[in-house]
Amino acid sequence: MSLDDLADHIDRQLADADLALARRYPGDRGVRQPLHTVYVPASSYAAGLVAEWRDRALAVLDEHGPDAGSFARAAGLSEEVMAEVYPRMRAKLEREPIEDLRIDFEDGYGTRPDDEEDAAAVSAAVALADSISAGQAAPSHGIRFKSFEAPTRRRGLRTLDLFIGELARRGGLGDGLVLTLPKVTSVDQVSAMVTACEWLESTHGLATGRLGFEVQVETPQAILGADGTAPVARMIHAGAGRVTGLHYGTYDYSASMGIAAEYQSMEHPVADHAKAVMQVAAAGTGVMLSDGSTNVLPVGDAAAVRRGWALHARLVRRSLERGFYHGWDLHPAQLPTRYAATFAFYRDGFESAAARLRDYVGQGDSSYLDEPATAVALAGFVLRGVECGAVDDAEVSEKAGLDRAALARLARRRRP
């Protein structure tokens, strides 16, 4: 047997494995990932909510951090970095205060009479459609319905059907729609959600494959199954290409692990373990990751606002450094620190990343011997910074010698 004959034989031997790898691990989805998801109870949602949150975020900023120095001191951030970041953060709040909005029919809404939730589901869809047609909706938006656990399953399906049906009738099913499946405890629930999506598409005249969904990792059963495996990895593939994200649920997960309420946190060791498993499960799949939330809000007197801001800014930065580029926000006063901490993260790393990219593509010497995988990470980092507004295209062109299309190619972004 010649070497070519051997290679042909191995090609045939590995053909199924090659196809499975390409199907299961297609890489980056080629779309912008939001920096955060804002959760609001369905009972509090209205078409003008994004503008309302903008105004409230700017008001708390004007009161407690009206300039770069005072805000940096209040939030525990570098005054030098904030001098550069502060105007960008304010401009972001004015232009796009919420990147991703979830209308919550689960924990934030609670259990109510069926006729009341029916009316709320239709009302939410009407309000969302109105905000979309007026150009006032968050770029990504959708609902979190009740879980597929037996006691809430039928209620969750009914709310989902009413919401999707009304949104479809009003022409509000744009590219930004996201559905959130909470408290997932089994791979079978993800398969069931695929069945539900197929039924909704058929019933409401939507294109096949139109509906995708996020899986909320809020239970230990998603991380470690009774057989010793990690069900969350199988959940992604059971989604038949419809799973778009894995979102960590800080408080449900911590409580399920028996952590005392005082110590439930995004940075507790049980949280880090769960998120590390999620990270490995999602790697290469194109499924996006989100960290959870902090329920310590920057509200009240000046001291309470400062404590809340400092904690939130630190936790946002911590998540970013660990590869979680997305989190949850629960109050308008968290928006300034969400954007300030995120922009500071990208500004801090931009000069070095841009120089290394310039050298990697052959335009200079470098003290780094970067491999192709590292170049992918560098390009992805800079591209995320551009997409969120922390970095300008002109800066990337000047410092890295690349435009956005070249960055996307280096980052191995698929065409969406």
Side-chain angles (χ1 to χ4, degrees), residues 277-326:
V277 175
M278 290 165 57
Q279 204 163 20
V280 174
T285 65
V287 170
M288 296 174 176
L289 295 168
S290 176
D291 208 334
S293 62
T294 174
N295 61 5
V296 180
L297 302 179
V299 297
D301 61 21
V305 171
R306 287 195 297 270
R307 284 195 300 272
W309 270 352
L311 175 64
H312 189 241
R314 182 174 64 77
L315 290 174
V316 170
R317 178 71 181 231
R318 184 181 190 274
S319 297
L320 290 166
E321 290 176 355
R322 285 156 177 76
F324 279 74
Y325 302 107
H326 187 148

Side-chain angles (χ1 to χ4, degrees), residues 32 36 50 91-99 139 339 387-388:
R32 167 190 171 192
H36 68 165
V50 172
K92 176 73 171 180
L93 289 172
E94 292 166 356
R95 180 184 72 254
E96 191 179 65
I98 296 177
E99 291 197 356
Y339 294 125
E387 288 175 334
C388 74

Side-chain angles (χ1 to χ4, degrees), residues 141-160:
H141 44 258
I143 66 167
R144 177 170 72 169
F145 50 96
K146 289 179 172 62
S147 79
F148 276 5
E149 292 296 288
T152 56
R153 186 179 303 148
R154 289 179 180 269
R155 180 63 262 180
L157 284 168
R158 181 168 176 80
T159 296
L160 185 58

